[in-house]
Amino acid sequence: MTALADILRKQITTTGPLTLAQYMSACLLHPKHGYYITQDAFGVDGDFTTAPEISQMFGEVVGLCIAQAWMDQGAPERFALVELGPGRGTLIADVMRATLQVPGFHTAATFHLVEASPRMRDLQGAALPAHTPVWHDTAESLPDDVPIFVIANEFFDALPIRQFQRDAKGWREVMVGLSGSGALQRGLSDAAPIDALQHRLNNTKPGALIETCAHGTAVVDALARRIATQGGMALIIDYGGWRSDGDTFQAVRAHRSVDPFAEPGRADLTAHVDFEALAHAATLAGCEASQLTPQGVFLERLGITPRAQGLAKGLRGSSLDAHVSAHRRLTHPDEMGSLFKVLGLYPGNESPPPGLDP
Ligand code: SAH
């Protein structure tokens, strides 16, 4: 039993069951016991590995995409380079290294990192020794006077979701309550009609479960309003699909799936990203959303294979094997190539970011 489990049990006893979003927020970001506050989750020794931690090629390709989009929009003299949830800072450091030769790009950029965890902020500062980033608690405080070029890799999957299960009359919300012996457990609220989910009644059947992420659509709204009026673009890369359908809430610890209610604060909690909801929020805010594109296709279109072949020339033995398998992991449909998708947001008078279709 964790200290956070005790806190949540007391809270449920006094004020009643929590929504999944309240539970997820506490587990991930509780100021003292939250997962992102206390753990360094990344890499082989951590709980999971992300694309930039697998190979430098990921950040290099993303960097060239951003730099090309910046040039396509007339190479503005000042712009904000924004990352949401930068983790260890590996991706943005690779982006900066890959764009060193792009004339004017580095001098035009200021750095804005949206990051909730003080521990992660320290790691990010150390990964960018030559720059002085500005950290933000939320996307709401990002600059509103210059174009913003944004990257978010595995950020949206960490945002708190709510789950609703359909019955004949309406929707029952998945709640976190207590069992007879006082353990945290999943339960269901009474059925109620929910206005925001009425449109899903015609494409679901009783028993179906769907997920919503109000935090995710609010972040996209903040980005899209700026991109539509100030210029720039956003690349949202994550696992998920077009429209939420089914239970994707999961807990991972030491690269294995675990019970999300067993040890709150000790496991990473995520859910698949509903890209339809994000694209819809972007268009409502006046911005264009690209076609949703598999990560493997995106990386191939931007030349990851010639880059991989170039790097392979300098490698031998086990380093070469690791490099070949990293390329496969990022691009192959059986690995991250098709589960992970890329959504681009861009202004109506511009083309989508390179590698993506309108
Ligand atoms: N993009 C990185 C890390 C992904 S993990 C990579 O690809 O390796 C998720 C990151 O988002 C972590 O840095 C975490 O601290 C941060 N984060 C999670 N929830 C957040 C929230 N609600 N607001 C701001 N940052 C958050």
Side-chain angles (χ1 to χ4, degrees), residues 29 36 42 50 52 83 85-87 114-117 120 153-155 158-159 215:
L29 292 174
Y36 282 116
F42 303 86
T50 57
E83 187 172 359
V114 175
E115 174 57 64
S117 158
M120 292 291 163
N153 184 62
E154 290 209 41
F155 171 73
L159 301 181
H215 193 137

Side-chain angles (χ1 to χ4, degrees), residues 54 308 311-327:
I54 291 171
L311 284 171
K313 289 196 185 115
L315 300 171
R316 296 281 173 279
S318 60
S319 329
L320 179 59
D321 293 345
H323 172 64
V324 171
S325 99
H327 173 253

Side-chain angles (χ1 to χ4, degrees), residues 145-220:
D145 55 351
V146 290
I148 61 168
F149 288 77
V150 185
I151 169 74
N153 184 62
E154 290 209 41
F155 171 73
F156 283 87
D157 67 66
L159 301 181
I161 56 147
R162 292 168 72 181
Q163 286 187 332
F164 298 88
Q165 189 167 319
R166 188 176 161 187
D167 77 1
K169 293 190 221 125
W171 298 95
R172 286 151 76 84
E173 180 158 13
V174 173
M175 306 294 288
V176 183
L178 299 178
S179 71
S181 62
L184 294 165
Q185 70 169 18
R186 178 186 183 282
L188 286 173
S189 72
D190 294 338
I194 294 178
D195 283 350
L197 296 181
Q198 280 305 102
H199 70 291
R200 297 298 309 268
L201 287 174
N202 60 13
N203 57 29
T204 50
K205 294 201 170 71
L209 188 141
I210 63 173
E211 297 171 337
T212 63
C213 182
H215 193 137
T217 46
V219 172
V220 163

Side-chain angles (χ1 to χ4, degrees), residues 62 66 81-84 91-92 95 149-153 234-235 237:
V62 166
I66 296 174
L81 185 59
V82 177
E83 187 172 359
L84 310 182
L91 174 53
I92 193 127
V95 164
F149 288 77
V150 185
I151 169 74
N153 184 62
L235 291 175
I237 309 179

